[in-house]
Amino acid sequence: MGSNVLFDRKDGIAVLSFNRPDKLNAFNREMTLELQKALDACATDPEIRCICITGNGKAFSAGQDLMEVTGTNAPSFDQILADHYNPIVTRIRRIQKPVVAAVNGVAAGAAANIALCCDIVVAAHSASFIQAFSKIGLIPDSGGTYFLPRLIGWQRASAYMMLGDKISATEAERMGMIYKVFPDEEFSTSSMILAASLAKMPTMALAFTKEALNESMTNSLEAQLSKENKLQQNAAKTKDYDEGVKAFLDKRAPIFKGE
Ligand code: T3D
């Protein structure tokens, strides 16, 4: 796939690892394009039923590589957002599979917000999140102004985005910004256990759940009830639904195939 994003797949899980550890995995153009390609490959591969995004080395990612934007041939801001970051966020929200952000270390700027748009965010105890943008005179991007107030409320989002304070993993969990914190020494194993359980779930039902949650961000109650009705009918047509009900009645564990 490319050297800036490692792509490992096993047992229905694709692990996409940011791989510029000597640069704290800061995003350059190549890395963002490789991530987009990797997500596309995951989207079309029926064997992949869960995607886990993480960082290689001590950081998740320091966000935009500030050397790139100050170098000669620097991409424009429009390019950075329209071609690099926004397509990652829309892919993560639209892909019909669960996406886990396994935040192993610091997640700053665009990286923090790419993590927050994932379906489930877990973090190592020593990890942290920084809306670093204001510190360099920018505004939060990569969907941060959309997701963060919805996750932790307008007031706290506003303060964290304006002040650029570091948010510890435990504080992030306490505020409901992320799902869970794992102790550092168990982080890798616990993240993979979570991904493995998602990869064995009824994938289409999870995809429909994701679609419903996406729409709930903007729908009226009536529109949302109608959406649930439509998606539930779709879920009921899957083989996994048949299997789920059969397994329940047979008093055995279901074997879902993502069909
Ligand atoms: O044009 C645009 O920028 C538009 C796009 C915007 C999207 C964004 O993501 S904007 C936000 C960009 N990111 C930042 O502003 C974060 C900057 N980095 C930091 O605040 C800190 O480095 C961290 C909190 C991430 C980590 O702190 P720490 O103490 O663990 O490490 P450090 O010592 O600050 O950094 C280690 C090295 O990485 C250092 O280089 P050196 O001195 O060893 O040669 C540092 O300069 C470098 N580094 C860290 N972050 C970046 C970076 N180099 C390039 N780009 C970075 N983002």
Side-chain angles (χ1 to χ4, degrees), residues 22-24 26 58 62-67 69 77 80-81 85 106 108-111 130 132-133 136 138 141 166:
D22 53 327
K23 305 272 179 205
L24 300 184
K58 71 172 190 170
Q64 173 63 41
D65 185 335
L66 298 174
M67 299 297 280
V69 291
F77 280 88
I80 291 174
L81 297 193
Y85 296 129
V106 67
I130 311 175
F133 309 87
I136 55 168
L138 292 179
D141 58 26
K166 185 186 272 200

Side-chain angles (χ1 to χ4, degrees), residues 206-220:
L206 302 194
F208 298 143
T209 303
K210 184 166 179 167
E211 191 178 327
L213 284 170
N214 282 345
E215 293 212 9
S216 77
M217 297 279 204
T218 50
N219 266 349
S220 66

Side-chain angles (χ1 to χ4, degrees), residues 3 15 20 30-31 44 50 55 64 88 98 108 124 126 128 132 149 159 162 166 171-172 192 216 221 223 239:
S3 60
V15 179
R20 301 182 75 215
E30 291 73 34
M31 190 159 140
T44 53
C50 178
Q64 173 63 41
I88 293 172
S126 61
S128 56
M162 290 192 178
K166 185 186 272 200
E171 179 64 1
M192 289 317 288
S216 77
L221 174 62
K239 289 186 185 160

